[in-house]
Each structure stands twice: as C-alpha cells, then as structure tokens.
Amino acid sequence: MAELQYGPQILLEAQALYQAMKKGKTNYGRREVSDLITQHVPSLSNTPQFRMEFSSLVLRRTGWGRRVFINQLFDLIASHFEIEAPHDVAPVNDWVAAPAPDPVNLVVDICDIQDLDLDLHDPDTPPWG
C-alpha cells in the first residue's frame, strides 16, 4: 500500500497535535478535534484510507479527553501503518509518590555520629578558624 510510507510522518504530526492539545484544555468536542487535525496533521491528505479510519475515530464520540483521544490515535497509527507508536502518554505526575519516612526510624544515636569520619575540614586547621 503506497500510503504506508507516510506512517512515520503522521506519527510525528500526531505527537505535535498532542503537544498543541496539552497547551489548550483537557477536553475537546468533535469540531475542535477536527480543526486541530487540519492544522497539525497535514499528511492525512496523502493517506485517503487512513483518513477515513481517522475520521471514524473522531466521530465515535461527541467529546474527547485529549489523553484518551491521542492514545486511541496512536493505536490506530500503529495498527494501520504497522509501526511502533506510544501506547500511553501518561504524564510523570501520575506516578505514585514514595511514602513518607517513619519518624521513629529517623532518630540517630549520638554515638553513631561520633564514630563517623567525615573529614570535612583540613586536619591542620581547626574547624572554627
């Protein structure tokens, strides 16, 4: 299929589309998504079969969350063009934070501190001078 050659370019354009969506709002209506696609994915004009599948994706819902939409778009690109595409654009801030340390375990024995050889200063010069 001649349009397979456009897969990597469409993937790049889809990534640019997502960046544009991130600068805007979190939810988009069909019309807004269509307008963004026109602006950021110009290679669709070279891929009529993929453009039909893409249009079908946009029409599945009246409104789209940007992350849901772009994840489904990446899946569509990967399957249609048979190329690797991201499977989820989950932001880093969705990671679970490490639990706070237990304050009981933060108590340090003064003997442990005295045994440390930190060598923080020149041995010939006193630390206060």
Side-chain angles (χ1 to χ4, degrees):
M1 184 167 21
E3 65 181 55
L4 287 180
Q5 67 183 351
Y6 293 100
Q9 179 62 34
I10 292 202
L11 181 58
L12 286 173
E13 292 171 0
Q15 290 168 334
L17 169 66
Y18 181 64
Q19 293 305 315
M21 291 175 95
K22 279 177 50 176
K23 290 178 184 174
K25 48 192 186 170
T26 57
N27 293 304
Y28 293 87
R30 279 186 197 152
R31 185 70 188 148
E32 294 169 307
V33 170
S34 295
D35 291 344
L36 285 167
I37 290 165
T38 301
Q39 292 173 1
H40 297 283
V41 192
S43 294
L44 279 178
S45 62
N46 300 319
T47 57
Q49 187 176 6
F50 180 70
R51 185 176 58 227
M52 287 179 10
E53 291 178 36
F54 195 54
S55 296
S56 175
L57 171 66
V58 172
L59 294 174
R60 286 183 196 159
R61 297 180 175 192
T62 57
W64 285 96
R66 67 177 177 226
R67 186 172 154 209
V68 171
F69 174 75
I70 208 69
N71 284 336
Q72 289 189 25
L73 174 57
F74 284 159
D75 289 344
L76 182 64
I77 291 169
S79 66
H80 183 83
F81 294 105
E82 299 171 0
I83 61 174
E84 285 291 319
H87 294 291
D88 190 8
V89 292
V92 173
N93 60 6
D94 281 351
W95 293 351
V96 176
D102 183 7
V104 174
N105 293 332
L106 292 178
V107 176
V108 179
D109 188 1
I110 191 69
C111 295
D112 292 340
I113 293 175
Q114 290 173 349
D115 291 338
L116 293 175
D117 182 18
L118 297 177
D119 193 24
L120 296 175
H121 56 78
D122 184 0
D124 296 335
T125 314
W128 57 86

